[in-house]
Amino acid sequence: MVEKDRLQQFLMNLFMIILVLCCVLPFLLMVMSSFTEEATLAKNGYSFFPEKFSLETYNYIFKSAKTIFRGYFMTILVTIIGTLANLTLTILFAYPISRKDLPYRSGISFFLFFTMLFNGGLVPTYMMYANTFHINNTIWALIVPNLMMNAFYVIMMRSFFTASIPDALIEAAKLDGASELSVLTKVVVPLSKPMIVTLVLMVGLTYWNDWMNGLYYVSDQSLYTIQMILNNMISNINFLSKNASLFGTTKVTLPTVGIRMGIAVIAVLPVMVIYPFLQKYFVKGIVIGGVKG
């Protein structure tokens, strides 16, 4: 029996090692490719051990350092405001429908689930935000559309409240004279740290990686986020490379392959730095939030 347990443990460890390598190796390959000379990439392809190292990619990117730093500032600002707004609306929606004594609870939940299945489509959505709410070229164009609240996150939070917050605890707080708002802010929210951190990470990543809303609603370059700026860099490089003859030359020497890797590294680096500090809460929140309430 002991030998069988050891074999199972060995196989599980081996499986986890392979899984970790499948996650880590592509990232390492991306980093190494960003430091590889363009000609070497074109000749030999991507490699963990490049024949020639080069900083050409990062030299090109940081020629626009001022623009990149402004993009980082906008991305951080949008991510913070959007995440706080999303988290607030999610909690205020999830807590009432987690209570079994809420009148019309089933009807309210139905409207929430309905938004997961159907939407108005891109054109009506654009017309509503652009013509009715007039968010074009404002910071709200990067925060409100499709991101302010997500039904899936509400369901996760509701499931957490249902599974992890005892009804007896809420009733005891009410017997002590606490209002519904006091119960939520002083009892429920402090006990929901794992789920809240999980949502902060998931919503924050959504805002950090979003560039579609900027593409649809923003033309003012002062509002460009880092994702929009880096996407424009790729588009400009591709245009210059494919239309070299327009500029009186037969070849435009730009890091067209390595630039993609370098841009990916720059975009993901802040997330890689923050994630380890939130990982323990993220795992716990996902597990408990996935319990059916």
Side-chain angles (χ1 to χ4, degrees), residues 126 129-131 133-138 141 216-218 223:
Y126 176 84
Y129 285 123
N131 300 333
F133 295 108
H134 303 288
I135 65 172
N136 289 43
N137 286 323
T138 68
Y216 296 150
Y217 303 106
V218 175
L223 294 175

Side-chain angles (χ1 to χ4, degrees), residues 222-233:
S222 65
L223 294 175
Y224 278 12
T225 62
I226 188 66
Q227 301 292 349
M228 297 167 62
I229 291 172
L230 298 179
N231 183 63
N232 284 344
M233 278 188 177

Side-chain angles (χ1 to χ4, degrees), residues 275-289:
Y275 180 76
F277 298 100
L278 304 179
Q279 182 181 10
K280 62 178 181 179
Y281 299 107
F282 179 74
V283 173
K284 185 177 179 181
I286 285 290
V287 172
I288 300 179

Side-chain angles (χ1 to χ4, degrees), residues 25-35 48 58 260-262 264-265 268:
L25 290 180
F27 178 76
L28 292 179
L29 182 62
M30 177 179 71
V31 174
M32 295 307 297
S33 298
S34 70
F35 286 102
F48 290 105
Y58 293 99
R260 295 182 177 88
M261 302 298 106
V265 171
V268 80

Side-chain angles (χ1 to χ4, degrees), residues 104-123:
Y104 309 109
R105 179 186 180 214
S106 298
I108 296 173
S109 299
F110 168 77
F111 283 109
L112 173 69
F113 299 143
F114 187 86
T115 63
M116 295 181 66
L117 304 176
F118 304 99
N119 63 71
L122 178 59
V123 174

Side-chain angles (χ1 to χ4, degrees), residues 4-289:
K4 183 178 180 181
D5 291 340
R6 288 180 178 176
L7 178 61
Q8 289 180 345
Q9 187 65 42
F10 172 78
L11 292 176
M12 287 300 298
N13 290 340
L14 181 62
F15 174 76
M16 293 305 299
I17 290 173
I18 294 174
L19 191 62
V20 168
L21 290 176
C22 289
C23 296
V24 173
L25 290 180
F27 178 76
L28 292 179
L29 182 62
M30 177 179 71
V31 174
M32 295 307 297
S33 298
S34 70
F35 286 102
T36 304
E37 186 183 58
E38 182 71 13
T40 303
L41 278 174
K43 178 182 178 182
N44 302 328
Y46 303 113
S47 173
F48 290 105
F49 306 99
E51 184 178 318
K52 292 184 180 180
F53 285 89
S54 173
L55 295 176
E56 183 181 5
T57 292
Y58 293 99
N59 287 336
Y60 180 85
I61 292 175
F62 285 103
K63 283 180 181 178
S64 305
K66 183 178 179 180
T67 302
I68 289 177
F69 289 139
R70 186 182 68 239
Y72 266 125
F73 171 76
M74 283 302 304
T75 302
I76 293 171
L77 181 64
V78 167
T79 299
I80 292 174
I81 296 175
T83 301
L84 289 175
N86 186 294
L87 189 63
T88 301
L89 291 177
T90 298
I91 292 174
L92 291 177
F93 201 142
Y95 175 66
I97 64 175
S98 71
R99 301 296 307 278
K100 297 178 182 178
D101 56 348
L102 175 70
Y104 309 109
R105 179 186 180 214
S106 298
I108 296 173
S109 299
F110 168 77
F111 283 109
L112 173 69
F113 299 143
F114 187 86
T115 63
M116 295 181 66
L117 304 176
F118 304 99
N119 63 71
L122 178 59
V123 174
T125 300
Y126 176 84
M127 292 176 64
M128 180 183 69
Y129 285 123
N131 300 333
T132 303
F133 295 108
H134 303 288
I135 65 172
N136 289 43
N137 286 323
T138 68
I139 192 173
W140 301 110
L142 304 173
I143 296 174
V144 176
N146 307 322
L147 298 175
M148 186 69 84
M149 191 178 75
N150 186 296
F152 174 70
Y153 298 151
V154 175
I155 293 173
M156 287 182 62
M157 184 65 78
R158 184 211 62 178
S159 299
F160 184 91
F161 290 155
T162 303
S164 305
I165 309 297
D167 292 337
L169 188 61
I170 296 176
E171 292 174 2
K174 288 187 175 181
L175 288 175
D176 289 338
S179 64
E180 287 289 355
L181 184 60
S182 296
V183 171
L184 176 61
T185 56
K186 297 180 180 180
V187 177
V188 176
V189 170
L191 293 175
S192 305
K193 184 185 293 185
M195 193 68 239
I196 290 175
V197 174
T198 300
L199 286 186
V200 166
L201 184 58
M202 295 175 70
V203 175
L205 282 175
T206 301
Y207 275 105
W208 185 271
N209 293 323
D210 177 66
W211 59 275
M212 293 297 294
N213 284 324
L215 179 66
Y216 296 150
Y217 303 106
V218 175
S219 58
D220 184 354
Q221 294 188 6
S222 65
L223 294 175
Y224 278 12
T225 62
I226 188 66
Q227 301 292 349
M228 297 167 62
I229 291 172
L230 298 179
N231 183 63
N232 284 344
M233 278 188 177
I234 292 177
S235 300
N236 292 339
I237 287 175
N238 289 338
F239 174 79
L240 291 173
S241 299
K242 292 179 180 179
N243 298 276
S245 59
L246 297 177
F247 302 93
T249 180
T250 57
K251 183 179 181 181
V252 177
T253 305
L254 291 173
T256 55
V257 179
I259 192 72
R260 295 182 177 88
M261 302 298 106
I263 284 173
V265 171
I266 289 176
V268 80
L269 192 59
V271 178
M272 296 291 292
V273 172
I274 294 173
Y275 180 76
F277 298 100
L278 304 179
Q279 182 181 10
K280 62 178 181 179
Y281 299 107
F282 179 74
V283 173
K284 185 177 179 181
I286 285 290
V287 172
I288 300 179

